[in-house]
Amino acid sequence: MTPTGTDSAGHPRPVIDLHTHSAVSDGTETPAELVAAAATAGVDVLAITDHDTVTGWAEAAEAARVHGVTLVRGIEISCAWRHSSIHLLGYLPDAGDRPLMEELARARDSRSTRLERMVALMAADGIPLGYDEVLAQVGPDATPGRPHIADALIANGTIRHRDEAFRSWLGDDSPYYVGHYAPDPVRAVELVRAAGGVPVIAHPFTRTRSGDLDDALVERMRDAGLAGLEAFHRDHGPEEVARATALADRLGLLLTGSSDYHGEGKRNRLAENTTAPEVLDAIEAASSGATEVLRP
Ligand code: AMP
Ligand code: FE
Ligand code: FE
Ligand code: ZN
């Protein structure tokens, strides 16, 4: 499933990991540290895809040059769908595109308000936490998210790993859950395409409060310009991979795979799932060229 190492003719195939996070969103390493970790892990092509921001691109680009890693600059957009959030990867969009950047800024602003409300609900219920402690966990210009609440609870000794916070208080089903402004998934696909980027649904069959993503929505997203589905991902078992493969066949979509690495914030390891070189070529060909794949 994960084409790494050599191809059937014994030729080396590059290791391509197209979904990772830095401390510019909810990863635990700076963009430069993320790229260094990727080089150490044997990743040849890395995509940096922080939540709702391109702030990490410049630092990652510099580090990629130093470490000889090929860099795909991207984003992961949280989209509002029914009562859940679905995630859209956008590869190689133009960072100067006003409509897309304004949409991301709006989502980031709303994320701050939303974390403050979640903390207030938790504190009212006796969970020892102040919003200032949460802010202390968010890096400069970083996109705030629930993992930063978890980090504050780790810092004050309440828990040991983010996982515990998500199981107890931060899950989508939690009474403390508060949503934030996020674009509709079809609109997000349109925005990424209009910015010259290539949209791929991240981990489409991760379980959400709304149950599974329905095929009709994926079809509408395809009609709006969706390019692919991230089939090979830790949140997917064989059934989800089979479902993504069948759906991609029917709708003419690409299949990608990646780690969704968050440093120490998640158990996901770099390159635990990867994308085929032909698929990366197709993604690059589908982009406008405004943001290029950076080769060392
Ligand atoms: P938010 O963007 O604020 O809605 O928070 C969602 C983020 O939390 C996702 O991007 C995940 O990276 C992270 N997350 C979800 N579940 C867990 C978990 N069990 N452990 C660590 N991080 C998680
Ligand atoms: Fe995340
Ligand atoms: Fe995601
Ligand atoms: Zn992600």
Side-chain angles (χ1 to χ4, degrees):
M1 280 306 165
T2 55
T4 57
T6 53
D7 65 17
S8 55
H11 300 121
R13 284 170 71 86
V15 175
I16 303 173
D17 189 340
L18 290 186
H19 178 173
T20 67
H21 296 266
S22 78
V24 157
S25 63
D26 57 356
T28 57
E29 296 163 338
T30 63
E33 289 165 349
L34 164 65
V35 172
T40 302
V43 173
D44 300 296
V45 183
L46 176 78
I48 179 170
T49 54
D50 277 306
H51 296 287
D52 298 332
T53 186
V54 299
T55 299
W57 283 14
E59 184 183 320
E62 174 59 22
R65 205 177 50 74
V66 170
H67 291 281
V69 170
T70 294
L71 185 72
V72 175
R73 289 166 288 177
I75 48 180
E76 184 177 21
I77 306 177
S78 293
C79 306
W81 180 68
R82 296 186 187 161
H83 298 291
S84 291
S85 157
I86 69 165
H87 289 176
L88 185 74
L89 294 159
Y91 294 113
L92 306 168
D94 180 357
D97 183 84
R98 286 275 299 269
L100 177 61
M101 294 306 130
E102 284 173 8
E103 192 70 3
L104 299 182
R106 185 174 171 195
R108 290 195 305 272
D109 286 349
S110 161
R111 280 170 163 278
S112 305
T113 325
R114 166 270 196 141
L115 282 195
E116 193 166 9
R117 287 175 60 200
M118 287 187 68
V119 169
L121 291 172
M122 291 168 70
D125 237 8
I127 299 154
L129 191 62
Y131 184 53
D132 52 335
E133 292 173 73
V134 175
L135 283 182
Q137 299 299 323
V138 184
D141 293 322
T143 301
R146 284 176 279 167
H148 298 111
I149 299 182
D151 290 348
L153 290 164
I154 295 170
N156 76 12
T158 307
I159 55 166
R160 296 231 312 276
H161 193 275
R162 284 180 181 179
D163 249 347
E164 295 171 51
F166 273 89
R167 267 185 268 120
S168 309
W169 307 300
L170 301 181
D172 291 3
D173 298 321
S174 160
Y176 310 120
Y177 179 85
V178 177
H180 60 82
Y181 169 77
D184 164 89
V186 173
R187 168 91 184 121
V189 167
E190 290 167 352
L191 281 166
V192 169
R193 276 290 185 188
V198 185
V200 171
I201 304 180
H203 42 81
F205 304 122
T206 298
R207 290 196 195 297
T208 70
R209 271 200 297 178
S210 306
D212 286 344
L213 183 63
D214 67 69
D215 292 7
L217 174 64
V218 179
E219 196 159 341
R220 286 198 296 122
M221 291 171 77
R222 192 277 314 263
D223 293 344
L226 182 73
L229 302 174
E230 186 184 55
F232 314 114
H233 183 285
R234 157 183 299 246
D235 289 2
H236 289 177
E239 257 177 60
E240 285 79 23
V241 171
R243 189 176 160 198
T245 305
L247 193 56
D249 276 351
R250 183 165 76 76
L251 299 179
L253 297 169
L254 301 168
L255 290 179
T256 67
S258 46
S259 65
D260 203 355
Y261 177 74
H262 283 67
E264 292 312 306
K266 276 191 170 181
R267 297 179 202 282
N268 310 28
R269 294 298 93 193
L270 282 160
E272 64 177 28
N273 284 290
T274 57
T275 294
E278 303 73 26
V279 172
L280 174 62
D281 292 345
I283 289 172
E284 190 173 3
S287 72
S288 70
T291 296
E292 294 182 319
V293 174
L294 297 177
R295 296 194 166 78

